[in-house]
Amino acid sequence: MLVWLIIIPVVGALLAWLAEHRTRWPHPRWIALITLIIELILILSLWVPMGTGDHGVWLAELRRPWVPRFGISFHLALDGLSLLLIALTALLGIIAVASAWIEITQRVGFFYFNLLMTLAGVIGVFLALDLFLFFVFWEVMLVPMYFIISIWGHEHRIYAAIKFFIFTQGSGLFMLVAILALAFVNYQNSGHWTFDYFDLRNVGLSPAAALWIMLGFFIAFAVKLPAFPFHTWLPDAHTEAPTAGSVILAGVLLKTGAYGLLRFVVPLFPEAAFNFAPFAMTLGVIGILYGAILAFAQHDFKRLVAYSSVSHMGFVLLGVFAWNVWALQGAVMQMIAHGISTAALFMLAGLIQERLHTRDMRRMGGLWASMPRMGAMVLFFAIASLGLPGLANFVGEFLVLLGTYRVNVTLAVLAVLGIITAAAYALILVQRSFQGEPRGTVKMPDLFAHEWAAMAAMIVFAVWLGLYPQGALNTAAPALKAMRGAVLAQNPGPQMATRTNDR
């Protein structure tokens, strides 16, 4: 089943590319849509054991030799955390297809090939428990996203694509060096090569070596998150990417960075992570405030949403390094909630640009009169993004702040200022684009049926997770509990032990 989760989008990608030149085949967008629906059904079928209570931490696992000489194996495993993120990936993949339905008109088959290959790489990242295999999937998801931005992007797409690739590929090389260093130290200690996640959690590292190797992982994941000051590639990539590319970037690719911090950085290097935690949490708070202030100053619709992503993902960094049960659950919920609300805002930004041929909010105004349903969607997801109680983002941010308060009161108070600023830029987004006097006399088309269906689906999930978050929290809880227990088993300092055992 785990292999099929990766194979299905790969096969769908190849079929979509081949269908571009075969008139009797279904249109590539239909192939992509059907592929992702099958993927979503498959991952939901794996969710069934979660409700029975008759399972361990790992719902499914596969381990096969790959390069035995160097201890490299094809090791995939699925727990509640991976399950939630893969389900989010499949859902937002469907949303991305809907957003590209009309927008993409050239080299359509190749576009959906790259889209599905990106998602296949992301799913591999969420499943891989061999660190070498993890790096392979990490690289797989970058190349097709580069093509999506550089071929189907907007005015400065080449610059944005190269910047995206340099930042993500360069930081990935830091992670590769760190993986090799960790495996080499383990080889010196044990006499055998391995890249297996469970084996490398128990490597005896000196404090200095643990810190430097941890920083290699941290840089790679912080760039992808993105955390301040590694965030500068994000606004350009989001602004120049086609709508579907922005949806996948914000909703899925950023989550791979957060997942890496949660799965690898702290469990592999608990002592080093604890010593580094004050600095990492400070970067998280700086990102929250800095992203919010820059979002407040934007006139470009997509750049405003892009900088808001920097702010919201700062809560994830804060929650991971607070490392208690509230903060970790909040970080997971924030990853999911941000994926839904920000993907919706980017899709709406693309729809507006497609109709008005501009992203500049100074040239908008009064759009509610001609596009009331789209205006209602922008208003809903803007207030969802700012953390309105009853919606998913509020749950994530509240739990992160609650967990951070128990670790560092000052940082928790400063992070609250980011929520206050979010209210300002979210409401300005709505006011500048949809309120006021109309800037033109031409009536613009409102949401089409497939766009309305995509928006409605994301509204349902945002409200459901806001009113009943316990389902998602229960799904992630066994995985988070196991990671906290593994950290404690490595005999960390008393402060980290307190965070790990915190109820």
Side-chain angles (χ1 to χ4, degrees):
M1 293 287 277
L2 300 184
V3 173
W4 279 110
L5 286 173
I6 300 171
I7 289 178
I8 288 172
V10 172
V11 172
L14 293 172
L15 292 176
W17 194 4
L18 293 173
E20 183 174 0
H21 303 293
R22 286 164 172 79
T23 56
R24 294 186 178 182
W25 285 34
H27 194 279
R29 63 184 176 222
W30 282 106
I31 294 176
L33 179 61
I34 293 170
T35 299
L36 291 169
I37 290 174
I38 294 172
E39 184 81 3
L40 185 59
I41 293 172
L42 180 59
I43 192 63
L44 293 178
S45 71
L46 292 172
W47 209 314
V48 174
M50 297 295 294
T52 65
D54 187 23
H55 61 86
V57 174
W58 300 101
L59 303 176
E61 188 172 5
L62 172 70
R63 191 198 304 257
R64 295 288 185 272
W66 186 16
V67 188
R69 180 177 179 180
F70 295 106
I72 300 173
S73 62
F74 191 81
H75 187 187
L76 305 176
L78 180 79
D79 63 2
L81 176 61
S82 302
L83 182 71
L84 286 172
L85 293 175
I86 295 174
L88 178 68
T89 301
L91 174 65
L92 294 184
I94 295 172
I95 301 301
V97 172
S99 64
W101 203 264
I102 298 175
E103 179 182 4
I104 303 301
T105 57
Q106 297 179 340
R107 306 182 69 180
V108 179
F110 189 52
F111 172 83
Y112 287 109
F113 168 81
N114 284 287
L115 179 66
L116 291 172
M117 287 300 297
T118 301
L119 298 179
V122 170
I123 292 168
V125 164
F126 292 146
L127 291 176
L129 285 185
D130 180 279
L131 268 65
F132 188 85
L133 180 65
F134 175 84
F135 178 77
V136 170
F137 283 122
W138 185 268
E139 295 299 305
V140 165
M141 69 181 177
L142 300 181
V143 176
M145 180 53 67
Y146 167 83
F147 285 124
I148 289 175
I149 298 172
S150 63
I151 297 176
W152 294 276
H154 301 301
E155 300 88 4
H156 306 290
R157 58 185 181 273
I158 302 298
Y159 166 78
I162 292 174
K163 190 174 183 180
F164 160 78
F165 193 76
I166 290 174
F167 269 75
T168 53
Q169 178 71 17
S171 62
L173 294 178
F174 281 99
M175 180 171 63
L176 177 61
V177 172
I179 290 172
L180 295 175
L182 186 61
F184 181 73
V185 173
N186 181 76
Y187 173 75
Q188 287 186 317
N189 294 341
S190 64
H192 71 275
W193 287 101
T194 181
F195 288 83
D196 190 82
Y197 172 73
F198 297 110
D199 294 335
L200 295 180
R201 285 195 310 193
N202 301 309
V203 178
L205 296 170
S206 67
L211 177 61
W212 284 108
I213 296 175
M214 184 212 70
L215 286 176
F217 284 90
F218 177 81
I219 290 172
F221 300 139
V223 168
K224 188 59 70 68
L225 188 64
F228 175 89
F230 309 108
H231 67 283
T232 58
W233 63 271
L234 181 72
D236 293 314
H238 273 313
T239 303
E240 302 303 328
T243 304
S246 295
V247 169
I248 296 302
L249 266 173
V252 177
L253 259 67
L254 304 191
K255 309 307 175 291
T256 60
Y259 173 82
L261 293 172
L262 191 56
R263 177 75 77 190
F264 296 103
V265 171
V266 180
L268 290 177
F269 314 99
E271 284 283 10
F274 169 72
N275 294 328
F276 187 70
F279 181 72
M281 294 174 70
T282 301
L283 287 181
V285 172
I286 292 174
I288 291 170
L289 299 176
Y290 182 75
I293 292 170
L294 288 184
F296 181 81
Q298 300 305 310
H299 298 293
D300 187 301
F301 194 117
K302 291 184 76 173
R303 290 186 78 87
L304 188 154
V305 181
Y307 278 113
S308 76
S309 292
V310 176
S311 180
H312 292 308
M313 294 306 289
F315 283 97
V316 177
L317 182 60
L318 196 61
V320 169
F321 281 91
W323 198 257
N324 55 48
V325 63
W326 296 288
L328 291 176
Q329 291 278 29
V332 173
M333 182 60 70
Q334 179 70 355
M335 290 160 68
I336 300 170
H338 173 269
I340 294 171
S341 61
T342 307
L345 286 173
F346 274 119
M347 182 174 178
L348 289 164
L351 298 179
I352 293 172
Q353 182 177 4
E354 182 184 344
R355 288 157 171 79
L356 272 65
H357 306 291
T358 183
R359 299 184 303 269
D360 192 339
M361 291 182 289
R362 292 170 295 186
R363 298 175 59 186
M364 300 180 191
L367 295 180
W368 198 294
S370 58
M371 297 185 288
R373 287 183 294 179
M374 191 178 296
M377 295 299 101
V378 171
L379 176 60
F380 176 88
F381 287 108
I383 62 175
S385 180
L386 65 85
L388 185 75
L391 299 176
N393 296 67
F394 170 78
V395 179
E397 292 175 359
F398 177 78
L399 287 173
V400 168
L401 291 172
L402 183 63
T404 303
Y405 184 83
R406 294 182 60 88
V407 176
N408 191 310
V409 176
T410 302
L411 292 180
V413 172
L414 289 174
V416 171
L417 298 178
I419 299 179
I420 297 172
T421 313
Y425 68 68
L427 295 179
I428 283 176
L429 174 69
V430 178
Q431 191 274 332
R432 289 180 179 175
S433 55
F434 281 87
Q435 302 298 320
E437 291 296 324
R439 300 296 177 89
T441 58
V442 180
K443 182 175 176 60
M444 298 295 173
D446 210 338
L447 293 175
F448 297 120
H450 66 281
E451 297 164 350
W452 173 249
M455 290 293 115
M458 288 188 281
I459 287 175
V460 168
F461 283 105
V463 174
W464 175 41
L465 292 172
L467 297 179
Y468 184 69
Q470 199 62 47
L473 297 178
N474 288 343
T475 301
L480 298 177
K481 182 179 179 181
M483 284 189 283
R484 297 198 314 272
V487 167
L488 182 61
Q490 297 181 57
N491 299 316
Q495 296 94 333
M496 181 60 84
T498 300
R499 294 185 187 187
T500 303
N501 283 335
D502 204 344
R503 301 300 179 188

